[in-house]
Amino acid sequence: MSKLLLVDDDIELTNMLTEYLEREGFHVTAVHNGDAAVREALNGDYALVVLDVMMPGMSGIEALSRIRTHSKLPVLMLTARGDDIDRIIGLELGADDYVPKPCMPRELVARIRAILRRTSNDTTTTNHEPLQTGALTLYPEKRQTLWHGQPLELTSTEFNLLEVLARQAGQPVSKADLSTHGLGRPLTRYDRSIDVHMSSIRHKLGNLTDGRSCIQTVRGIGYQLIGE
């Protein structure tokens, strides 16, 4: 049973979501402010945090930033419908995904399960060979990344997206494929999640010796990983 941390100052909504999530087989701990969210996330043994953006006192954005300073724990943000700014900031700070509020509990469960599927180690795999292209080395079974021989800190979502690109290095990968295999869900209209995650990965990798980014935008298609 996966343990979830649910953070929202709306107690009625929290109670409703807790009841639904527990019926779906999750064990839920609910808190109602950012301070408690950070404390629980860093001290508890949780598989994922569902974190509302709009809360009094410490906002969900600030709580996410503090969590990311110390932990790679998957975080799913609850954002106001149509509020692209909070959504983009959350993704830039390392949120794994988001669900607009008001949300259908069924959609929330689907997003949670998608994140948990892609962040859990696949203990059934027998291929433990590293995935290497140029200066980039990925260890899928360990979910570790080396760039020029040095450890590279990535969020779980960033690792998944980079792995998709690395497995097709030198070839364009569509945003639809990146969303399906990296985010675990179909690409939706006007969804900028892939672009924001790619921007973050580019920033962490830096440029090649010739000044280019190793992740190239392929207009009208998606992205392509290139070597030195």
Side-chain angles (χ1 to χ4, degrees), residues 90-102:
L91 293 172
E92 289 177 338
L93 288 175
D96 292 85
D97 206 349
Y98 66 87
V99 174
K101 291 174 67 179

Side-chain angles (χ1 to χ4, degrees), residues 3-19 21-22 27-46 48-56 58-60 63-64 67 73 75-76 78 101:
K3 292 179 63 178
L4 305 180
L5 176 62
L6 176 60
V7 188
D8 198 311
D9 64 310
D10 186 332
I11 296 177
E12 183 177 353
L13 174 63
T14 303
N15 290 340
M16 184 270 288
L17 290 178
T18 296
E19 182 179 348
L21 291 168
E22 290 185 339
H27 178 77
V28 181
T29 297
V31 297
H32 306 293
N33 60 74
D35 288 307
V38 175
R39 183 170 60 252
E40 281 290 322
L42 298 181
N43 293 336
D45 183 23
Y46 296 100
L48 180 143
V49 180
V50 179
L51 180 61
D52 185 32
V53 169
M54 297 297 293
M55 292 186 293
M58 184 190 298
S59 70
L64 170 64
I67 292 170
L73 179 65
V75 177
L76 174 67
L78 297 177
K101 291 174 67 179

Side-chain angles (χ1 to χ4, degrees), residues 44-223:
D45 183 23
Y46 296 100
L48 180 143
V49 180
V50 179
L51 180 61
D52 185 32
V53 169
M54 297 297 293
M55 292 186 293
M58 184 190 298
S59 70
I61 294 295
E62 185 177 352
L64 170 64
S65 179
R66 296 192 184 190
I67 292 170
R68 275 291 166 264
T69 301
H70 303 285
S71 173
K72 295 181 180 180
L73 179 65
V75 177
L76 174 67
M77 302 295 292
L78 297 177
T79 67
R81 188 171 298 277
D83 195 341
D84 291 335
I85 299 300
D86 282 341
R87 195 168 300 162
I88 291 170
I89 292 174
L91 293 172
E92 289 177 338
L93 288 175
D96 292 85
D97 206 349
Y98 66 87
V99 174
K101 291 174 67 179
C103 65
M104 295 293 292
R106 190 173 180 179
E107 180 186 4
L108 180 62
V109 168
R111 294 291 184 93
I112 290 171
R113 285 181 171 154
I115 294 173
L116 293 178
R117 278 197 302 270
R118 68 178 191 256
T119 55
S120 61
N121 290 329
D122 184 2
T123 57
T124 64
T125 183
T126 58
N127 181 14
H128 297 289
E129 293 297 318
L131 181 62
Q132 186 161 8
T133 176
L136 178 68
T137 305
L138 299 176
Y139 295 89
E141 78 285 357
K142 300 177 183 177
R143 299 187 65 80
Q144 294 178 352
T145 309
L146 297 181
W147 177 240
H148 290 283
Q150 299 299 313
L152 183 68
E153 291 296 323
L154 298 173
T155 67
S156 59
T157 299
E158 290 168 353
F159 183 93
N160 290 329
L161 290 171
L162 190 54
E163 182 182 356
V164 174
L165 289 177
R167 291 191 182 280
Q168 301 186 58
Q171 304 176 41
V173 182
S174 70
K175 289 185 180 180
D177 283 345
L178 285 166
S179 186
T180 297
H181 300 293
L183 300 184
R185 60 176 174 81
L187 183 68
T188 57
R189 194 176 185 184
Y190 306 123
D191 189 347
R192 294 187 56 196
S193 300
I194 298 294
D195 300 318
V196 177
H197 286 306
M198 286 299 168
S199 176
S200 178
I201 297 170
R202 280 172 166 163
H203 177 73
K204 292 179 178 182
L205 292 173
N207 293 330
L208 300 174
T209 53
D210 61 5
R212 294 180 301 162
S213 169
C214 64
I215 298 178
Q216 296 288 303
T217 301
V218 182
R219 188 177 297 275
I221 299 178
Y223 294 92

